[in-house]
Amino acid sequence: MPAKLNVETLQSVFQTRPDILAGIQEAADTPARVGLFNEIASFVYERIATASDHGSTQDDDGPAAKRRRVDIAQVQPSQQTLSNGSTAGGGVSLDAATSEQVLLEVKDISASAPQRKKYDVCFTKNFLYARVSGSSTPVQGIVYPWKEIEHIFYLPVPEKSTVQHNYVVLPRNSYLPTRTAKPAAGAAPTSPTALEPFVFTVPGAAPKPGSIGGASAKTAEAVSDSYSTLFHWALATSLKSAGNHSCSIVASDPKLFHSVTRQAHRPTEKAVHVKAFRGSKDGYLFFLPTGILWGFKKPIVFLPLDRIAALSFTSVLARTFNIVVELDVDESGNVEKEIEFGMLDKEDFEGINANYVQRHGLADKSMAEKRKAKRELAENNKTTGGEDDANGTGEGEAENAQTAGMTELEKAQWEAEQQLQDEEDEDEEDYDPGSEGESEGSGTSSEEEDDDEDAEGGEDDDDDENDLDGEGMDED
């Protein structure tokens, strides 16, 4: 019996490309080609079914065969990785998003991540994506299924004279600091994440006439007093319609946290951020109700409160200090254990410590055992004998008395000063005069010899005088 094309599967796969379907039917003139086309159609169909489970246009209550294919795809996640490094969901979503009706389109929105450019931001039933103005195709890498979005933040843009806000959209597995080291030999390779954070900026004014389009444009007019009210409504409505009830828009609140540093660009407005460095990159830290966000340069980092194991204050100097956030990492080992932010203004310590660390019950490990161990080891190396041990005990009691009533930052600074003093004491104890001391001894000896010579010279003078006196007496 000759092989036949699986027309049902082919039509399902290429329903938006009838030209490809016609070409396949024309070229399937041998059993080998028919078998090959059927295999390709089945393979692509499974990928589409996988995307359906993550938020495409397919219904959740589809045929049992489709659900079985989805289950198989989930059991074999390595097969979801495409040759370009994106996941199957990210690779298929481009066509899936294009095929959906645009419910809302907001034109000329400035994006800063994952690419810095102006785009039209589009909302569909199952996707949020960006596309170039005048184009009907989403930009590769800026297509987000609503079900994959985990966090959305609404934050003021720092150091701008006019009020602007950033929307920060974080899909799953896109915001924790990851290790750059290669996996160990024999370890299973990890699939790269196709989706990066999406950051776009909106002004404080109302949308320009003609900048809003889509099937829901008329409905959106009622909430278009400003870009913020428009996007808040569109994002919240879309998340709810897609069944993503765990994600909501989180905004910064100066009542919960604000910096004491006065903003030069908007002096009457309290800054809800603090300047900080991550390595050599400068950015801003936002202490939010759900976690700590560092932006807005790539890679954007968000540390949820439920993943923070501890927060420590380190490198305390006269004007700045660092914080080290210890994370509760998962079994994969791909997430960094600790991440450090440096060069924070010392004036912001009290606000961070009291309004954030203590309020959220985060463990402050500035005085933790592992940090004490290094100092105690250095002290023990200098301690020998019972007398020194007794003195060490007394010094410990004195240290406790001196640090009583200090804040954690003052304690850390006091310890840093003590450590510097100990190092200076060690240098003095280890000092060896060497040849310089010998030179001082030689100098003393030389002076003594000169004194002896002077003394001998005096005796000779006396003898000469006696001789002269003797000669005079003979003449007489």
Side-chain angles (χ1 to χ4, degrees):
M1 184 176 180
K4 294 183 179 180
L5 284 173
N6 191 341
V7 179
E8 181 181 358
T9 303
L10 287 168
Q11 289 178 344
S12 177
V13 171
F14 299 108
Q15 58 181 341
T16 60
R17 295 296 303 272
D19 55 329
I20 296 178
L21 181 59
I24 291 175
Q25 291 174 338
E26 183 178 352
D29 52 1
T30 64
R33 290 184 177 181
V34 170
L36 177 61
F37 290 144
N38 285 339
E39 289 181 4
I40 293 175
S42 298
F43 178 77
V44 177
Y45 186 83
E46 289 180 2
R47 296 301 180 90
I48 295 176
T50 302
S52 172
D53 187 64
H54 293 283
S56 71
T57 58
Q58 304 293 334
D59 295 332
D60 293 336
D61 52 352
K66 182 187 298 184
R67 291 198 297 270
R68 284 196 298 270
R69 290 190 177 94
V70 172
D71 294 339
I72 293 173
Q74 291 175 342
V75 173
Q76 300 174 346
S78 61
Q79 295 181 2
Q80 299 179 34
T81 304
L82 302 181
S83 59
N84 62 1
S86 63
T87 61
V92 176
S93 64
L94 195 64
D95 292 336
T98 305
S99 64
E100 290 194 3
Q101 181 186 22
V102 175
L103 303 178
L104 180 67
E105 177 186 12
V106 186
K107 299 179 180 179
D108 297 329
I109 297 299
S110 297
S112 56
Q115 301 175 21
R116 185 176 295 276
K117 191 175 180 179
K118 276 195 174 184
Y119 293 112
D120 296 344
V121 178
C122 300
F123 297 73
T124 70
K125 179 183 178 182
N126 294 289
F127 295 93
L128 168 70
Y129 65 82
R131 67 185 183 190
V132 178
S133 181
S135 172
S136 60
T137 305
V139 178
Q140 181 69 43
I142 317 183
V143 181
Y144 303 90
W146 290 114
K147 290 184 179 180
E148 291 297 316
I149 296 176
E150 197 167 4
H151 301 280
I152 297 179
F153 300 107
Y154 175 72
L155 307 172
V157 180
E159 300 183 355
K160 296 289 184 181
S161 56
T162 58
V163 178
Q164 300 178 25
H165 284 81
N166 276 339
Y167 282 93
V168 183
V169 180
L170 301 180
R172 301 183 192 280
N173 304 321
S174 68
Y175 50 83
L176 288 175
T178 56
R179 299 181 183 274
T180 56
K182 295 181 179 180
T190 56
S191 299
T193 302
L195 299 177
E196 297 183 34
F198 183 32
V199 181
F200 60 92
T201 307
V202 297
K208 298 178 181 179
S211 62
I212 301 176
S216 302
K218 290 186 177 180
T219 307
E221 290 180 0
V223 290
S224 297
D225 297 336
S226 67
Y227 277 101
S228 299
T229 56
L230 173 62
F231 274 101
H232 267 60
W233 168 79
L235 291 168
T237 303
S238 299
L239 288 169
K240 184 178 179 181
S241 299
N244 188 345
H245 302 288
S246 61
C247 179
S248 59
I249 303 173
V250 176
S252 56
D253 187 351
K255 295 180 180 179
L256 298 179
F257 176 83
H258 68 272
S259 172
V260 299
T261 304
R262 187 182 180 90
Q263 294 191 99
H265 298 79
R266 299 197 297 268
T268 60
E269 179 183 335
K270 292 182 178 180
V272 292
H273 66 275
V274 295
K275 291 184 178 180
F277 279 79
R278 187 190 173 200
S280 60
K281 291 186 177 182
D282 61 328
Y284 307 96
L285 282 175
F286 293 85
F287 295 89
L288 303 170
T290 55
I292 302 173
L293 185 136
W294 185 85
F296 294 98
K297 295 182 179 180
K298 298 173 63 176
I300 292 172
V301 174
F302 176 62
L303 310 176
L305 284 176
D306 57 3
R307 296 294 295 269
I308 298 177
L311 188 148
S312 306
F313 300 101
T314 64
S315 302
V316 181
L317 302 176
R319 295 183 179 180
T320 63
F321 67 97
N322 295 1
I323 61 174
V324 176
V325 182
E326 181 180 334
L327 300 178
D328 182 15
V329 299
D330 52 22
E331 296 180 356
S332 67
N334 293 328
V335 178
E336 292 184 12
K337 179 68 175 177
E338 290 185 344
I339 179 170
E340 183 173 17
F341 301 102
M343 301 296 289
L344 281 74
D345 195 312
K346 194 172 178 181
E347 293 183 354
D348 286 318
F349 168 78
E350 289 298 335
I352 295 173
N353 185 43
N355 297 335
Y356 203 79
V357 174
Q358 296 180 9
R359 172 180 294 176
H360 293 289
L362 299 178
D364 178 7
K365 285 195 173 181
S366 298
M367 304 293 289
E369 292 299 326
K370 69 175 183 179
R371 299 190 185 278
K372 285 184 179 180
K374 294 181 181 180
R375 185 181 73 254
E376 291 174 352
L377 180 61
E379 293 175 353
N380 291 336
N381 289 337
K382 295 187 296 181
T383 304
T384 55
E387 181 178 355
D388 290 341
D389 289 341
N391 292 338
T393 303
E395 290 176 359
E397 294 176 354
E399 176 182 331
N400 293 334
Q402 288 180 335
T403 58
M406 289 185 179
T407 64
E408 297 298 335
L409 182 63
E410 291 171 342
K411 289 179 182 179
Q413 185 174 9
W414 184 85
E415 288 180 359
E417 293 173 353
Q418 289 298 115
Q419 186 174 359
L420 290 175
Q421 184 63 42
D422 292 341
E423 293 175 356
E424 292 177 359
D425 293 342
E426 286 182 359
D427 293 340
E428 292 177 1
E429 292 174 2
D430 296 339
Y431 175 71
D432 183 8
S435 59
E436 186 177 348
E438 295 175 2
S439 175
E440 291 176 357
S442 301
T444 304
S445 177
S446 299
E447 291 174 0
E448 292 175 355
E449 291 177 359
D450 292 340
D451 292 341
D452 292 341
E453 291 177 357
D454 292 342
E456 293 175 358
E459 293 177 357
D460 293 340
D461 292 341
D462 292 341
D463 293 341
D464 294 340
E465 290 176 0
N466 293 334
D467 294 338
L468 289 174
D469 292 340
E471 292 175 358
M473 292 177 65
D474 291 342
E475 290 178 357
D476 293 337

